[in-house]
Amino acid sequence: MALVQCFCALLILLSRARCQAPTEAPLLASITVSKGDMRVFSGEDMRTSCSVPDDPSPHWRYKWFQNGDDMGFYNSSEAWITASGEYNCQAEKDLKKWPYLVNTLPSQPLHLHVDRGWALMQIPNTPSIIEDTMILTCRIRDGPVATEVRFYKNDSEIQCDKSQELVFSNVTLQDAGVYWCRASWMEKYELHSAQSLPVLVPVLDKLETPRLVLVSGRVIAGKLVRFRCETRLNVKAEGLQIEYYYMKNHSRLAPASSSDKYTIWKMRKEDAGVYICKVKVRLLNVERWSNELELKVY
């Protein structure tokens, strides 16, 4: 009897230890185009690759999704794409210890396009950032030499030339928009012409305009109030840091901070006012201001 009681007590201790064990942050899968481009003609090779950047061990199994539908598990980290759609992936692997199985979070989606026409507007695989060089290409199936190519932005013609490239040497936010092209070419002494489908071409700022939001709920006297200054740094380089400044009625509340949150631990009536945040990256010499957020104390 005593032996049974000891065994039961051991099981209870093990169960409690598992429940109280600290849980690690879930891993995030990542999907990229490993061969081809994000926009291809039907019959061309396009492959995507799934990985777990924070755990590059070789024992993962990969699940693929197309437009939210489960495509099943594959031992290979690569998938061949033959149809347009929104694709993402997830990974899982077995563990020798409890909990014996780990799943990643699904990756961010990739919007891939497989074109069955004769003209295709090719855009960069990743969004261009202001001051970059951006090249848009009007491709023709099977690669004949174009005799004339017309580029359009938001239904207005912006270039007519033999060149199949539209080059922006110093791209700006105003260059973002919907683009399409019409190409003409000769084949067997006959003139052919085709029009591409329109495609949205994004352009990103180096540092996105911040948005100041209230994350602590209703503002009540005596209660905690917390803001978040939401922004994103799109330039990938070492040593870049975002500085956050918080102001009330145009007066700075504290020195520059590396935190995107500002907390008022005990709200008072005199804390009512108009709040704003500023973000700055010194090495890029850029700064952006947020919206104004008016607080009333109840």
Side-chain angles (χ1 to χ4, degrees), residues 133-274:
T133 296
M134 180 175 75
I135 301 176
L136 308 182
T137 305
C138 187
R139 293 185 58 207
I140 306 172
R141 185 183 287 272
D142 299 330
V145 177
T147 57
E148 181 184 84
V149 178
R150 296 175 182 265
F151 286 93
Y152 299 84
K153 177 190 177 187
N154 302 334
D155 293 330
S156 297
E157 185 179 313
I158 56 175
Q159 178 176 299
C160 178
D161 200 350
K162 289 184 178 181
S163 174
Q164 292 178 235
E165 291 187 343
L166 179 62
V167 180
F168 300 84
S169 58
N170 194 16
V171 70
T172 68
L173 294 177
Q174 287 69 41
D175 292 321
V178 176
Y179 289 80
W180 55 281
C181 65
R182 178 181 292 277
S184 300
W185 68 97
M186 296 295 295
E187 186 175 344
K188 296 181 180 179
Y189 303 104
E190 291 185 359
L191 180 64
H192 297 263
S193 182
Q195 176 181 311
S196 75
L197 292 173
V199 58
L200 177 64
V201 179
V203 177
L204 302 180
D205 201 350
K206 293 180 180 180
L207 181 63
E208 293 188 1
T209 299
R211 188 169 71 100
L212 186 63
V213 296
L214 187 65
V215 295
S216 56
R218 194 178 183 195
V219 180
I220 302 175
K223 299 294 185 180
L224 177 145
V225 171
R226 179 167 291 148
F227 306 94
R228 178 182 291 121
C229 188
E230 298 178 343
T231 186
R232 184 170 63 180
L233 180 61
N234 292 313
V235 178
K236 307 300 181 184
E238 292 185 4
L240 297 181
Q241 293 183 338
I242 302 177
E243 297 178 3
Y244 295 86
Y245 300 82
Y246 299 92
M247 280 146 278
K248 172 196 162 190
N249 299 334
H250 304 292
S251 297
R252 188 182 296 182
L253 293 169
S257 167
S258 61
S259 174
D260 65 348
K261 299 181 183 66
Y262 181 80
T263 303
I264 302 174
W265 296 102
K266 193 173 182 179
M267 194 70 178
R268 302 168 299 172
K269 288 188 176 181
E270 52 265 36
D271 291 322
V274 177

Side-chain angles (χ1 to χ4, degrees), residues 98-118:
W98 185 87
Y100 306 113
L101 183 71
V102 61
N103 288 279
T104 69
L105 295 174
S107 68
Q108 294 296 318
L110 274 183
H111 299 272
L112 306 176
H113 178 75
V114 179
D115 200 292
R116 303 187 184 280
W118 283 92

